DNA sequence: GTAGGTGCAAATCGTTTGCAGTACA
DNA sequence: TGTACTGCAAACGATTTGCACCTAC
C-alpha cells in the first residue's frame, strides 16, 4: 500500500465512513494510476481484479472521495469528469492533448491574484483550477521526431 | 447586432461556412448572453424566437463555433460543457459556486510560467484554462447579509 | 446546380435512482 | 444488531448518428 492509498483510507475512516472491499479496490486503482481516469475507465480497471463490483458503487465512491477532498477532479481536453489522486487544492495540471497523460506539477501561489480579483470584482474567491494543455515529451517526439 | 455577433458571423463566412438563419439565431443568443449556457439551455432560449430549430442543429453549431475558436467552453462548478461568447485564448473566468454566474475578467500573462513549465517538464504547451470559483457579490450578500 | 446544412427519430453513452439484500463497525 | 453500503435493473438526460429533404451560395 502506498502513502496515497493510506491517506485516503485514513481520511475515509476518520470521517466515519466504512471501509468496504469495494472502496478499497477503487482507492487502490486511483492511488496506483498516475493518469486521470473517467468513472467508466476506472470501473473497467477495477473489474480486472474485482469482477463483482458494480459501476454504481464506483460512481458513489468517487462522489464520496471527491466530497471528502481525497481525490481531485480533472476537467481538461474534452474529457470532463475525470479523476486522479491528490488534493483538490493542488489544481495545477499539465494535460497532453494527444495521449491524455496528466502531469501534476504542484501548485502556484495565486494569493496575490485572488486578492486583486476580490477587490476588482467583489467576489469571495474560494478556489481555483489551472490546467495547461499541450504535447508531452513523448508525443512531441512521436509527432515530430526531428525535434 | 453587437460586435461579438458580427465577429462570429464574419469568422464563419471567412472560413467558408454558410450563414443560415439557424446559425444566426444561435450566434445571436450566445452574443447577447453574458452567462455561460449549456447546449440544452441555449436550445431552450433559441426556441423562444426561432421555434422551428432542432436541438441537433444547436449541438452542431456549437461544435462548429468552438472548433473555429469563436466561442469558449466553460468547465467549472459541476456543469461542464457550457458555452459563452469570447475567444478561447481568454480562459480566465470567475464562477459563482452559488448562482453559477460567470464573470470574464480578461486574461493574465502566463508566458513566463509556460516557459518555466516547458523547461521543467518537456511539454510543448499550447493553451491554458484558469477558473476561479467563489461567491459573487450578490450571493455573498444573500448568504451573509451583515457583511 | 450542388455541397453543405437541417430536422426527425432512433440509438447510444454516461450517470442517477429505487429497492431489496448484505456486511461492516 | 443496526445502519450504512452494495448491486441489479430501470429510468433518465445529454449527445450522436443515419437518412431524406432543403437551401445558401
Amino acid at each position: 500500500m502506498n502513502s496515497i492509498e493510506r491517506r485516503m483510507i485514513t481520511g475515509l475512516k476518520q470521517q466515519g465512513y466504512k471501509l468496504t472491499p469495494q472502496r478499497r479496490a477503487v482507492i487502490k486503482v486511483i492511488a496506483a494510476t498516475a493518469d486521470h481516469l473517467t468513472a467508466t475507465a476506472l470501473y473497467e480497471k477495477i473489474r480486472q481484479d474485482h469482477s463483482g463490483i458494480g459501476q454504481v458503487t464506483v460512481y458513489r465512491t468517487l462522489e464520496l472521495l471527491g466530497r471528502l477532498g481525497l481525490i481531485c477532479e480533472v476537467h481538461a481536453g474534452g474529457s470532463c469528469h475525470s479523476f486522479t489522486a491528490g488534493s483538490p487544492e493542488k489544481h495545477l495540471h499539465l494535460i497532453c492533448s494527444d495521449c491524455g497523460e496528466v502531469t501534476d506539477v504542484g501548485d502556484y501561489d495565486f494569493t496575490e491574484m485572488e486578492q486583486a480579483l476580490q477587490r476588482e470584482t467583489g467576489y469571495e474567491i474560494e478556489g481555483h483550477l489551472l490546467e495547461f494543455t499541450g504535447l508531452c515529451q513523448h508525443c512531441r517526439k512521436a509527432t515530430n521526431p526531428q525535434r
Side-chain angles (χ1 to χ4, degrees), chain A:
Chain A
M1 198 196 293
N2 67 33
S3 65
I4 305 169
E5 207 172 330
R6 201 185 314 277
R7 198 175 62 79
M8 287 200 238
I9 290 174
T10 311
L12 206 61
K13 284 182 165 176
Q14 271 178 356
Q15 301 193 55
Y17 292 93
K18 291 179 182 169
L19 182 62
T20 63
Q22 292 89 339
R23 285 184 179 167
R24 220 183 258 277
V26 173
I27 287 172
K28 191 180 171 188
V29 171
I30 298 182
T33 313
D35 275 7
H36 64 157
L37 293 166
T38 62
T40 309
L42 209 43
Y43 171 58
E44 294 299 337
K45 265 204 155 179
I46 294 164
R47 279 218 298 187
Q48 283 169 19
D49 51 43
H50 202 283
S51 62
I53 199 167
Q55 189 155 14
V56 190
T57 304
V58 176
Y59 275 104
R60 283 192 277 228
T61 305
L62 288 174
E63 193 272 332
L64 177 64
L65 293 175
R67 189 152 39 82
L68 300 183
L70 301 172
I71 57 171
C72 172
E73 206 174 331
V74 185
H75 284 259
S79 77
C80 283
H81 293 156
S82 291
F83 299 88
T84 191
S87 156
E89 283 87 48
K90 299 265 179 191
H91 265 319
L92 206 171
H93 295 127
L94 268 171
I95 297 149
C96 180
S97 53
D98 197 18
C99 68
E101 182 197 75
V102 176
T103 307
D104 195 323
V105 279
D107 205 13
Y108 180 81
D109 186 13
F110 280 104
T111 316
E112 213 174 292
M113 196 167 168
E114 284 182 7
Q115 281 169 355
L117 284 172
Q118 299 209 24
R119 273 196 306 276
E120 286 167 29
T121 63
Y123 262 70
E124 180 179 335
I125 293 172
E126 292 164 345
H128 63 265
L129 163 70
L130 177 56
E131 292 175 354
F132 287 93
T133 46
L135 289 176
C136 72
Q137 220 160 1
H138 178 258
C139 292
R140 281 174 76 171
K141 282 181 193 147
T143 313
N144 202 340
Q146 67 273 27
R147 273 191 220 171

